[in-house]
Amino acid sequence: MRAMPPPPPPPPPLLACLLTLLLATAAVPPAGAFCVSKKAGAHSKPKAPAKPKPTPAPPKPIPLVPGGDIVRSLCLKTDYPDLCTSSISKQPHPQLPGEKRLDAAGVLRLAMAAVRAKAAEATAAATALLNDPKTQRGALGPLHDCIDSFDDLAYNLEQADKALAAGDRATTGTMLDAVRTDVDTCDQGFEECEDLKKVMGKWDAELAKLASNCLAIATAAGLR
């Protein structure tokens, strides 16, 4: 019987250690080689969109008188548009049926009402000056003339209103011209005497502007 060959001699201790270390390194996957499965829906939640900044509320429109659009457009045709709109806004407005809006003739009537109201105030002021002992004696005559002129003014406004209702443009224009003349008549009484204080000057100046507005509105609207 043939004898078995003897086993190989064991490796040196240092070589055995190196072999063991190499085998251990091959068994461990390198860093970053792991595959991690991601579940459906496991993605990071997207950030909610930033809320938009609230838009500032627009300024509230300035309230207009009834028929304010036509009031504004016609008053812009006058030499004193601010006085025109403010004086008209102070007058009682007519009750219009249904959806009917203020028309040009209605605007002119309101402008005429503003003249009438201011003339009534001027008459009261002139009467108070007549009864005031401090009033210059030379001013008494012109003050009486002013009161008469304001009475004529009210009459001429009434005639203009009637002509307007009848569609008589010529008479409407004539009466409105007469209203403007009535205002000048009051002022002229004080201009004739240089030493007289124009105590009605403030009233006359505003009445002249209001009467001028009436003429301009009537012209712009084709009512004279």
Side-chain angles (χ1 to χ4, degrees), residues 42-195:
H43 298 283
S44 59
K45 187 177 180 181
K47 294 183 179 179
K51 293 183 179 180
K53 294 183 179 180
T55 304
K60 293 183 179 180
I62 300 174
L64 296 174
V65 295
D69 291 341
I70 193 169
V71 170
R72 176 176 292 177
S73 62
L74 286 175
C75 282
L76 287 174
K77 302 292 185 179
T78 69
D79 290 333
Y80 312 99
D82 291 340
L83 176 62
C84 178
T85 53
S86 64
S87 62
I88 286 177
S89 68
K90 295 176 184 177
Q91 305 310 311
H93 286 67
Q95 296 294 327
L96 302 176
E99 298 296 325
K100 187 177 180 181
R101 291 177 61 83
L102 197 66
D103 58 8
V107 175
L108 178 56
R109 285 192 175 93
L110 290 172
M112 291 162 57
V115 179
R116 189 180 292 109
K118 185 59 63 175
E121 294 178 11
T123 298
T127 302
L129 288 169
L130 281 173
N131 297 326
D132 188 347
K134 296 180 181 179
T135 301
Q136 291 176 277
R137 291 186 61 84
L140 299 181
L143 284 171
H144 279 292
D145 292 340
C146 284
I147 293 174
D148 291 340
S149 294
F150 297 150
D151 287 342
D152 292 340
L153 181 152
Y155 172 80
N156 290 328
L157 283 174
E158 182 180 351
Q159 296 306 307
D161 197 5
K162 291 179 179 179
L164 184 61
D168 185 349
R169 294 184 298 174
T171 302
T172 299
T174 299
M175 293 298 99
L176 291 177
D177 282 329
V179 169
R180 182 67 181 82
T181 302
D182 292 330
V183 179
D184 291 338
T185 300
C186 173
D187 200 40
Q188 288 169 0
F190 291 90
E191 290 179 349
E192 293 173 355
C193 301
E194 295 181 358
D195 60 333

Side-chain angles (χ1 to χ4, degrees), residues 30-40 42-43:
F34 292 98
C35 294
V36 179
S37 64
K38 294 183 178 179
K39 294 182 180 180
H43 298 283

